[in-house]
């Protein structure tokens, strides 16, 4: 796998268009991803009423939204990915969706912090089988040259899920209670899981990639790579390694923001739950959706000219995001803060579609789920595991000296992580150039 070229299409595949079934499957998988992220983000959206009822600190919120969740979500994604590569990926996805949805409903029944933490860990266990199988299923429904766009559309799941979570969760919490929001979303997810199980067809693995070379006389077929071989190949490939690390540094910022932006807007900038349900939902939903979709379209175009676009596109997005991020944090009122938040919300997500597309085209078809899980392991363990955990602890640290704006002070400390992510994407560009040079050397 190390240094493998991007997947080539079978003859005519580059010009082929995906069929109607592929687009229906993509829409269903995107809805599952919406639920995946909606379930995950309800905790941060409803942080204020949860804190008021259960007496949870910022550090505790950071742990259950970050490290405790990520330990199960990231690590279990590896064996689940290995299993999905060798079995039915659709069934793995459906079972996982049912599990995390039931656990989400259980969050609404928690009466103490330990119970809430246990339910969130179970959500992490279920969500470990959500995204990697979906990446591979989409890659077998859409030919090379269209996957960036398809995966870009699929990656609209997080912004749509987060925006719906904000609008739905805040509205239900304001009208009823934060508990009902968790329970209702969980029930919808269980019903969706049953639909995926019965109505989505498992595609043939690698059916749209280059046909294997005909076997010469006496030459045995190439065996499917084992678990350890795929893992070694992934981390031995500097392109994949730097992409995973750069995404991890980016997600350190994005997940820290996702878990505490609503709390900062409400506690330190005067926003109400009703205002969150409308205005923050619009800003986050539109901004991140535009970023996801635009980056998917751009990477399909730019990568045809140079594969370094997989690195330069997300790096450019982060450079442009920094000044607007600082202005968002510094704003005194929530109205002005949301104006400045719109651009970094989109630019922060310029990394995801390029990362997923690069990994899916860099490896063999029977390594895609596990390779996608390895990508998620690195970037989510760093970003999801430590980003919210760090920011919550930083807020508690600043509480003594800045009791009225401790989260604002903590948010300022995310700027160096922006710079770290940019530096890692530049190292990725250098690795891609070296790989291209090796491929063209006779």
């Amino acid at each position: 796998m190390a240094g493998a070229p991007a997947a080539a299409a079978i003859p005519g595949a580059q010009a082929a268009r995906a069929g109607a079934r592929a687009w229906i499957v993509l829409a269903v998988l995107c809805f599952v991803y919406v639920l995946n992220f909606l379930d995950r983000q309800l905790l941060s959206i409803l942080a204020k009423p949860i804190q008021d009822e259960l007496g949870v600190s910022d550090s505790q919120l950071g742990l259950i939204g970050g490290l405790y969740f990520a330990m199960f979500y990231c690590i279990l994604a590896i064996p689940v990915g290995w299993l999905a590569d060798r079995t039915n990926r659709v069934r793995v996805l459906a079972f996982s969706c049912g599990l995390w949805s039931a656990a989400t409903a259980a969050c609404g029944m928690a009466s103490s912090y330990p119970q809430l933490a246990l339910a969130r860990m179970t959500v992490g266990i279920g969500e470990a089988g959500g995204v990697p199988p979906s990446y591979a299923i989409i890659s077998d429904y859409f030919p090379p040259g269209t996957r960036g766009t398809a995966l870009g559309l699929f990656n609209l799941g997080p912004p749509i899920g987060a925006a719906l979570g904000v609008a739905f969760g805040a509205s239900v919490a304001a009208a009823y209670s934060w508990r009902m929001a968790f329970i209702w979303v969980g029930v919808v997810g269980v019903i969706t899981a049953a639909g995926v199980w019965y109505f989505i067809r498992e595609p043939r693995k690698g059916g749209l990639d280059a046909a294997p070379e005909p076997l010469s006389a006496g030459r045995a077929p190439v065996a499917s790579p084992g678990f350890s071989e795929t893992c070694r190949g992934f981390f031995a490939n500097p392109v994949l390694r730097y992409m995973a690390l750069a995404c991890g540094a980016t997600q350190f910022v994005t997940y820290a923001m996702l878990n505490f932006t609503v709390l900062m807007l409400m506690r330190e900038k005067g926003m109400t739950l009703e205002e969150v349900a409308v205005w923050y939902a619009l800003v986050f939903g539109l901004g991140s959706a535009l970023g996801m979709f635009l980056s998917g379209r751009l990477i399909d175009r730019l990568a045809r000219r140079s594969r370094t676009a997989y690195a330069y596109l997300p790096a450019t997005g982060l450079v442009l995001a920094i000044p607007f991020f600082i202005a968002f944090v510094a704003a005194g009122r929530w109205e002005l803060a949301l104006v400045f938040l719109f651009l970094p919300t989109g630019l922060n997500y310029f990394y995801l579609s390029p990362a997923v597309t690069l990994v899916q085209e860099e490896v063999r078809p029977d390594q895609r789920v596990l390779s996608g899980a390895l990508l998620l392991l690195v970037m989510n363990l760093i970003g999801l595991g430590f980003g919210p955990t760090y920011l919550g602890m930083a807020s508690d640290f600043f509480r003594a000296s800045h009791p009225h704006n401790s989260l604002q002070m903590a948010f300022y400390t995310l700027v160096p992580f922006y710079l770290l992510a940019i530096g890692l994407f530049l190292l990725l560009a250098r690795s891609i150039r070296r790989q291209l040079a090796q491929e063209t050397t006779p």
Side-chain angles (χ1 to χ4, degrees):
M1 179 170 62
I10 58 175
Q14 290 285 0
R17 295 179 181 272
R21 173 176 288 274
W23 292 104
I24 294 172
V25 169
L26 179 62
V28 173
L29 295 182
C30 187
F31 181 70
V32 173
Y33 202 6
V34 166
L35 292 176
N36 178 297
F37 220 78
L38 197 161
D39 292 359
R40 194 184 311 176
Q41 291 307 306
L42 275 180
L43 181 70
S44 61
I45 294 158
L46 303 174
K48 185 68 166 57
I50 291 172
Q51 279 188 327
D52 293 342
E53 182 173 335
L54 300 183
V56 179
S57 69
D58 287 355
S59 294
Q60 289 175 318
L61 274 177
L63 283 169
I64 59 175
L67 187 60
Y68 293 166
F69 179 92
M71 283 191 304
F72 293 92
Y73 175 68
C74 299
I75 295 172
L76 287 178
I78 303 306
V80 170
W82 178 82
L83 176 67
D85 270 330
R86 282 150 182 78
T87 58
N88 188 300
R89 297 164 293 184
V90 172
R91 297 293 173 86
V92 170
L93 174 64
F95 176 82
S96 299
C97 180
L99 178 60
W100 85 59
S101 299
T104 297
C107 290
M109 304 174 191
S111 59
S112 65
Y113 178 75
Q115 291 178 5
L116 182 62
L118 180 62
R120 293 302 294 173
M121 291 177 188
T122 308
V123 173
I125 293 171
E127 290 193 5
V131 180
S134 297
Y135 285 157
I137 292 168
I138 291 169
S139 295
D140 283 332
Y141 269 104
F142 289 84
T146 65
R147 287 173 183 159
T149 298
L151 290 168
L153 289 169
F154 173 72
N155 284 328
L156 292 175
I160 295 173
L164 285 178
V166 172
F168 173 80
S171 298
V172 171
Y176 301 98
S177 72
W178 63 269
R179 297 180 181 277
M180 291 306 300
F182 281 101
I183 293 171
W184 289 0
V185 169
V187 170
V188 171
V190 171
I191 296 171
T192 301
V196 171
W197 182 283
Y198 288 107
F199 297 114
I200 299 295
R201 181 184 304 168
E202 172 77 358
R204 185 166 67 90
K205 295 175 183 177
L208 298 178
D209 292 302
E213 295 179 3
L215 298 177
S216 58
R219 183 161 65 89
V222 178
S224 296
F227 177 86
S228 59
E229 179 185 347
T230 300
C231 292
R232 285 196 305 269
F234 184 95
F235 291 108
N237 186 334
V239 169
L240 297 180
R241 188 169 63 243
Y242 276 124
M243 176 60 89
L245 291 173
C247 290
T250 306
Q251 284 200 341
F252 190 98
V253 175
T254 59
Y255 272 116
M257 291 178 65
L258 277 173
N259 278 265
F260 284 100
T261 293
V262 171
L263 185 58
M264 183 175 72
L265 288 170
M266 292 182 65
R267 196 168 74 191
E268 300 181 7
K269 299 187 187 294
M271 220 172 177
T272 66
L273 267 177
E274 291 83 359
E275 290 164 341
V276 166
V278 177
W279 300 110
Y280 178 72
L282 284 173
V283 167
F284 184 86
L286 291 176
S288 52
L290 284 173
M292 294 281 194
F293 179 72
L294 182 60
S295 63
R297 294 289 292 176
L298 285 173
I299 203 61
D300 269 343
R301 293 176 178 272
L302 297 176
R304 294 171 188 168
R305 303 174 187 174
S306 173
R307 295 183 73 230
T308 57
Y310 288 114
Y312 286 133
L313 181 62
T316 301
L318 294 177
V319 169
L320 296 174
I322 290 176
F324 293 96
F325 170 78
I326 295 173
F328 151 70
V329 178
R333 291 287 302 169
W334 66 264
E335 295 92 342
L336 184 59
L338 289 184
V339 171
F340 287 122
L341 181 61
F342 181 78
L343 276 178
T345 295
L347 294 169
N348 282 351
Y349 289 97
F350 266 36
Y351 75 96
L352 191 54
S353 294
V356 173
T357 305
L358 176 64
V359 171
Q360 294 295 298
E361 296 195 349
E362 187 80 4
V363 303
R364 289 172 43 165
D366 53 3
Q367 294 176 303
R368 282 180 175 148
V369 181
L370 180 53
S371 296
L374 290 168
L375 172 69
L376 293 178
L377 169 68
V378 177
M379 68 184 194
N380 284 329
L381 193 59
I382 296 171
L384 177 58
F386 295 106
T389 304
Y390 162 81
L391 197 65
M393 291 181 174
S395 177
D396 284 345
F397 173 79
F398 286 114
R399 184 68 58 85
S401 57
H402 297 79
H404 302 298
N405 63 332
S406 61
L407 266 174
Q408 181 187 44
M409 299 305 297
F411 265 73
Y412 280 126
T413 67
L414 293 177
V415 174
F417 295 98
Y418 265 110
L419 301 176
L420 174 61
I422 292 167
L424 288 169
F425 277 118
L426 295 180
L427 290 175
L428 169 63
R430 185 179 67 178
S431 294
I432 292 175
R433 287 196 300 270
R434 287 177 175 175
Q435 184 186 78
L436 292 172
Q438 292 172 357
E439 291 173 1
T440 56
T441 300

